[in-house]
Amino acid sequence: MNAGLYRKIRFAVGGGVLGFSTLAFADIGDWIPAQIARVGLWPQFTPSLLGIAHGAGWIAAGCVAVLLLTLLFGRVYCAMLCPLGVLMDLSAWLARRTGKKRKLPYRPGRTWLRVGAVGICAAGLLAGSAVPLGLLDPYSVFGKITSATLRPLLGWANHWISSATGLFHPVDVSPLAWTTAGVAIGLFVLVVASAVLRGRLWCNTVCPVGAVLGMFSKHAWLRLKIADNACVGCSLCERVCPAQCIDFRNRSIDHSRCVMCLDCVTSCKRSGITLQKHGKTAATPVPAASTGRHAKFTIDRRLFLASAVTIPSAVLGAEDTGPQNATRHHKRAVLPPGAKSLAHFQRSCTGCQLCVTNCPDQVLRPSITAHGLAGFLQPYQDFTVAFCSYNCSNCSQVCPTGAIQPLTITERRAVRTGSVRFFQDLCVVETKGTSCGACNEHCPTQAIRMVPWKNHLTIPEIDEDLCVGCGGCEFICPVRPNRAIIVDGLPVHERAKVLPLGQKNTIREIEEEFPF
Amino acid sequence: MNSINRRRFIGTTAASAAAIAWHNPLFAAPEAVGDGPWDIVAVRNGDPVALFEAGIAALGGMETFVSKGQKVVIKPNIAWDKPPEIPANTNPDLVAAIVRHCLKAGAGKVIVFDHTCHNWERSYKTSGIAKAVVDAGGVMDPANLESHYQMVDLPKTKLLKSALVHKEMLDCDVFINVPVLKHHGGAKLSLCMKNLMGVVWDRRFFHNSGLDQCIADLCFIPKKPDLNIIDAYRILRKNGPQGRAKEDGELAQYQMLGRDMVALDAAAAKLFGMKPEELGFIRFAGEMGAGETNLENVKIKRITLEA
């Protein structure tokens, strides 16, 4: 294929992926419905790979397609399907346009770092936490950055313009999560700085997807080759290569690191770099100067070894079991409906924040310590901000990893994510002798009923079987500092009792006289 | 051939009378003693629009309340993400009819809002009210942010000494309060006074400080309703205020209109099957002189539409 055409496709697809992903994660106004977001993010490698483990069906085919693509043409995913990769190329391009041109000389691959990154992610997964993967995987990093920084900014802008002009309604955006935003800004600075200074450094050192795809791209059907008879050793290709994987002196290209941008092809004045079917041309053996030392010790074996190295799970602190002096108000964080169990959720959620963005009630928030360190930045339900709607299952519909299993609204209503606890001695009705019923008001299932009490008052009575753990009661309870009713997260979700209810109004017979 | 014979005369007259009687309160059963003006007009046996048209006609038409160019705020109950068949919210057809009548009476702008309990966008949508209002030419306003509210002092109240009240409501010329008659776990019933909680930002204060007294205090917010319309086309009989299923709703086909929130709430309580004095907020409002709790002192026009 013509390299110029390929680059046009790369810019178009890359721009599309970056734009779509940005909209999907920064969405403040249901610009991209949950279903569309999920379809658009189909080729994202990591969520799709995790999806396979959870029987996510068609969504899982995304990573297979990416692997096939890599086996055919190399790391095309990195070139144009990875939103973080495209963001890096864009930042580097902007920096080149505005600042000085940086030459990126060839550097030998740091295989140990790449293996280490994959090893840490694998070890995390083996230990039951997808958090390390979530902090290195480019899709999840992109999601964290966009959702935790750009989205609140858009929210503020929306409120400001809305109140200044009255042209449109203000949107609901949850309060800024400072720690998450801090982590996201840190990651953003790291990503942009590395891209400006060193091109695709991230992709070939810490990115686990880059490392895995590199294993396949080494054996790709089509690979870039420097033609011996064309090369005059001008070094143009080496200087433009963002992956720093072209060694012009040896006329060699490290295909495991090549991100298929084809900048080298267009840079070569003699058209000396071309895509060739592997094995057809008389490829001269690559001089061993750079890669020789590791030539036999392949990444595959290293990957296997690294996977076996489990990080002490104590470091990850499997679950926050709570302090020793736990009061009766100590509660476990509530998981989104569809998360099945804390164990399932922690090992499957990369914390991409897509569900947080798509939660219309803004009850989902990234956790800092709520799920323990092994759940860092995985979402939980924050009932101080809002509560989970009985008529919604958006988070489960949008989750690309299967951490939150898809539920219909009917199915969602049969899931108990937490159980209600009522402290009558704190209740307004008991302490002040006035009527309240705020918890009952917000209870969608009448798990909280108001029953007759002293002085014509009514007081809550709990039917735990009906509780779905939505948190409406905890959200609205007016008692402070400790609320009179809370919802304690269930480590393993249960089935809530669903009553068969009549689907018709009763009819009132018209009385002889008006009743007043 | 075209001459009028006796049979034809009787037939035509009867048909015309029936046609006029259809939805026309003047020909409905005379269930009120004496003449207007009425404190309460109660209408029954018809769809929400027919009930409203008969009721507002008996009050002298919307022109009595709205003048040309005025800004009208309508405050229905849109608190919950529930369809009209589960009567947790005011009937959308009724709200639309009120909007149309206001505009016909010359209103410059008709604004509708509620501080919802469920997600506001979904409540506006599912209730059917957003579409009904916009189609009728009204404007749906948001009430989801604290910035929509303004702090006002309430000197005449007992507990609610100050409150953040929705700016549009403070700023309007005519305020129309349109609650739906429903069961309520805390206050027992949700009616005119209770519906005004939706113009205030902080509801937890109500629940924490004495719900019934705070509800009664709402009679003294700066902009009193010029007209209250209790929608009892469907009544939420149980599991209020949000209701669980359609079985919780009762098709009752009633509507009550008037200025006195306390009297209207008392009448609605009786319609529900409760004594007004069972409701704390009615008792408190009566004690504070906010309105008439004894329906014997209230002039009620009772209209039963012919089916």
Side-chain angles (χ1 to χ4, degrees), chain A residues 172 389 456 475 502 506 511, chain B residues 120 122 188 204 247 251 254:
Chain A
D172 285 317
S389 168
H456 305 292
F475 166 76
T506 53
E511 305 90 338
Chain B
W120 71 284
R122 274 213 304 270
K188 294 189 178 124
R204 284 193 190 84
E247 66 168 32
L251 191 70
Y254 270 83

Side-chain angles (χ1 to χ4, degrees), chain A residues 150-161:
Chain A
L150 186 58
R151 188 162 187 270
L153 279 177
L154 284 177
W156 278 334
N158 166 282
H159 285 196
W160 187 74
I161 299 173

Side-chain angles (χ1 to χ4, degrees), chain B residues 4-60:
Chain B
I4 291 174
N5 57 23
R6 184 167 51 199
R7 181 178 293 178
R8 199 178 169 87
F9 174 79
I10 293 170
T12 317
T13 309
S16 314
I20 292 167
W22 186 261
H23 291 178
N24 190 327
L26 296 177
F27 288 83
E31 288 168 297
V33 187
D35 292 323
W38 309 105
D39 296 321
I40 291 180
V41 172
V43 197
R44 65 180 183 183
N45 199 28
D47 64 65
V49 179
L51 295 175
F52 171 69
E53 293 191 331
I56 196 74
L59 285 170

Side-chain angles (χ1 to χ4, degrees), chain B residues 146-188:
Chain B
E146 195 172 341
S147 59
H148 296 133
Y149 297 77
Q150 187 184 323
M151 185 61 85
V152 290
D153 288 324
L154 306 169
K156 290 183 190 165
T157 57
K158 284 201 170 156
L159 288 176
L160 194 67
K161 284 293 172 192
S162 64
L164 283 162
V165 177
H166 199 280
K167 287 174 184 167
E168 291 295 352
M169 187 234 177
L170 293 170
D171 186 41
C172 70
D173 300 306
V174 181
F175 178 49
I176 303 178
N177 183 25
V178 196
V180 58
L181 168 48
K182 55 179 180 171
H183 167 253
H184 192 282
K188 294 189 178 124

